[in-house]
Structure formats: C-alpha cells, structure tokens
C-alpha cells in the first residue's frame, strides 16, 4: 500500500548502543534463506545502517531487521497450519483501523524509539542513508535502495516530488489482512501489524502501487529471485497475527515454496 512522509516535528533523543547494526548484519547472514541459484536474503535486504536498532535487545534487533530465518519446508509446515477460508467482506475497512500512519506508539520492534516507522524502515533498508541534522537520525534525507521487488537500484531523495519513488510496503497488505482475520484483532494489535518491521519493506513506489492490496494469488514481485523470501514473510506475518489464507492464495504460496531450495 502507498505510504507518504509523516515526519514528527521533533524527534526524541535515543540512547546510543554501539554495535547493534553490526549484530543485525551478522544475524541476517546467519539466518538468511537461500534460493537455488539466487542471492540470499541477506544480500537482498540491506542491514540497518542507522540508529534505528539502538534500543533493541538481540532478539528484537533480528525482528526489526525483517530477516526470515524460516526455510521453505518450515514455511510450508506453517502454511499448512493456517486456516483456509474465503475473504470476509471489506465492510468497515479504513486505514485508520490500523492506527495512525507510521506511529511510534506500538509494541513491536522499533516501537517507542523516538522515530516514526517510515523513517525507521528507510534507515534500515537504504544503503548509506543520510539523515537530517539534529533529528537523532530520525529523518532520512537520501540513500540508495536495492529494490527487492524489481532488482533495480533506486536513488532516494526526500522531497514533495521525489519521496514516493521509494515507498514502504505492507508485505501483507492491510486491506487483505482486514478481510482475513484482522477485523477480530484489537485496535492495538492492528496498529502493531501495520508497524511491525517483519511486515514492512522499502520498495519501488510504482511497483508497490501495482501490487495494491493483492495477495500471493494475484500478485508476486517481478523479481523472481525474491519470491521465496516474499511468500515466507507473508506466511510468518499471517501466522503471528492469526490471519487466514484463501485456497487460491495457499496454492500460489505452495507453488512458490516448492520451487525454492531449503
């Protein structure tokens, strides 16, 4: 889904904890799921280079990284445990059902760190991000995205006419989640889902618009090298938030995972 800049007027100072970015990079390397003949997750998802992980524990640092340590057979086993149902009506869906856009007031990794979620993910996923001075590394001004959805390299520059070249995608789209169980979640749980780093990726803006609220049955990343990781992330998120899949969605996920190498 499309994201826009929502930068806090002031950013709260964050305590520095040296070495967490290096820790996450190491964890990414250790937990990456390799697709046959393709790059690993660690190569496709940039390790955090900002201070976004500075207040996190070791386990939360891994969750914030968005890395998936789940192998294709494990993902298939998790998928088999997800309920299979039809879509519920979209009645009542609105973005604000999942809390304020990019709120920091959440209980997931990166919450309450003084930065809004969009800037957290930009700082995590961009290579060599540059930050606005005096914001405690909370406002990303520029950086380079190795886009996982297209394989393209995109230069991000913050501004009214340029920011949307890079958008933050909900891997499990919020409208899709709403129709597959999120209506039964509490408002707090829905806000956590919308800001959970495991469900967020900085990606090419136009490609994100093409995805819309599609699930795996209707949309997969054009970059086939990333599809194994993409589907695995969707399964992990749906499992974590007690969401279901449709039969067509499950069939599509199964096809992707069966083409992956453990």
């Amino acid at each position: 889904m499309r994201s826009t800049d929502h930068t806090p007027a002031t950013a709260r100072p964050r305590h520095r904890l040296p070495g967490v970015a290096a820790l996450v990079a190491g964890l990414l390397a250790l937990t990456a799921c390799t697709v046959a003949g393709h790059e690993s997750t660690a190569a496709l998802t940039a390790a955090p280079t900002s201070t976004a992980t500075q207040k996190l524990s070791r386990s939360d640092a891994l969750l914030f990284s968005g890395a998936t340590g789940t192998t294709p057979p494990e993902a298939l086993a998790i998928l088999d445990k997800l309920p299979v149902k039809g879509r519920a009506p979209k009645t009542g869906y609105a973005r604000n059902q999942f809390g304020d856009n990019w709120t920091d007031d959440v209980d997931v990794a990166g919450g309450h760190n003084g930065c809004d979620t969009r800037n957290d993910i930009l700082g995590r996923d961009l290579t060599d991000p540059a930050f606005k001075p005096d914001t405690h590394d909370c406002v990303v001004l520029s950086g380079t995205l190795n886009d996982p959805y297209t394989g393209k390299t995109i230069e991000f520059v913050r501004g009214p006419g340029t920011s949307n070249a890079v958008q933050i995608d909900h891997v499990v789209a919020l409208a899709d989640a709403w129709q597959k169980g999120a209506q039964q979640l509490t408002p707090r749980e829905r806000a956590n889902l919308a800001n959970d780093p495991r469900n967020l990726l900085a990606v090419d803006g136009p490609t994100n618009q093409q995805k819309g609220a599609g699930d795996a049955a209707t949309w997969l990343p054009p970059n086939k090298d990333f599809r194994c990781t993409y589907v695995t992330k969707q399964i992990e998120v749906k499992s974590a938030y007690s969401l279901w899949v449709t039969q067509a969605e499950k069939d599509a996920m199964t096809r992707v995972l069966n083409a992956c190498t453990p």
Side-chain angles (χ1 to χ4, degrees):
M1 301 296 289
R2 182 175 181 173
S3 68
T4 55
D5 283 345
H6 293 277
T7 303
T10 59
R12 300 192 299 274
R14 290 180 291 174
H15 301 295
R16 296 187 176 275
L17 179 60
V20 175
L23 164 66
V24 175
L27 288 170
L28 278 166
L30 289 172
T31 61
C33 168
T34 303
V35 180
H38 306 317
E39 294 179 271
S40 68
T41 304
L44 290 165
T45 306
T49 53
S50 74
T51 56
T53 59
Q54 287 179 349
K55 293 175 68 176
L56 303 178
S57 67
R58 284 173 179 257
S59 58
D60 278 353
L62 180 58
L63 291 175
F64 184 87
S65 75
T68 173
T70 304
T71 66
E74 290 170 341
L76 284 167
I78 297 170
L79 176 60
D80 280 340
K81 294 179 181 179
L82 295 181
V84 178
K85 304 180 185 180
R87 284 181 177 270
K90 198 176 178 181
T91 306
Y93 170 74
R95 175 60 179 84
N96 62 13
Q97 292 279 9
F98 292 81
D100 295 335
N101 284 8
W102 308 130
T103 177
D104 187 40
D105 183 19
V106 287
D107 305 316
V108 293
H112 302 285
N113 69 350
C115 295
D116 66 88
T117 303
R118 174 179 164 83
N119 277 291
D120 272 343
I121 301 303
L122 287 173
R124 182 193 73 181
D125 289 354
L126 297 181
T127 301
D128 298 325
F131 299 91
K132 185 176 181 178
D134 301 320
T135 64
H136 305 282
D137 289 357
C138 273
V139 179
V140 179
L141 296 178
S142 64
T144 301
L145 176 68
N146 297 313
D147 177 40
Y149 284 0
T150 65
K152 298 189 302 184
T153 299
I154 302 169
E155 297 301 326
F156 170 77
V157 178
R158 186 184 190 84
T162 57
S163 285
N164 275 327
V166 173
Q167 297 178 11
I168 309 303
D169 181 43
H170 291 98
V171 178
V172 174
L174 300 186
D176 179 66
W178 180 258
Q179 293 183 275
K180 297 174 183 174
Q183 294 183 45
Q184 283 74 55
L185 300 178
T186 67
R188 189 71 176 179
E189 289 170 334
R190 289 196 294 268
N192 287 339
L193 170 60
N195 293 276
D196 192 328
R198 295 174 294 179
N199 193 35
L200 298 173
L201 286 172
V203 300
D204 174 62
T207 303
N208 187 37
Q209 293 300 297
Q210 291 170 10
K211 171 187 173 179
D215 61 18
T218 59
W219 190 90
L220 290 168
N223 179 16
K224 294 181 180 180
D225 292 3
F226 193 69
R227 288 181 179 179
C228 180
T229 298
Y230 176 79
V231 166
T232 298
K233 288 171 73 68
Q234 286 191 325
I235 291 169
E236 289 177 335
V237 170
K238 291 206 167 190
S239 176
Y241 288 90
S242 302
L243 306 179
W244 67 74
V245 293
T246 64
Q247 186 61 58
E249 182 182 10
K250 181 175 182 178
D251 291 345
M253 289 175 159
T254 300
R255 285 193 296 272
V256 170
L257 291 171
N258 280 336
C260 302
T261 298

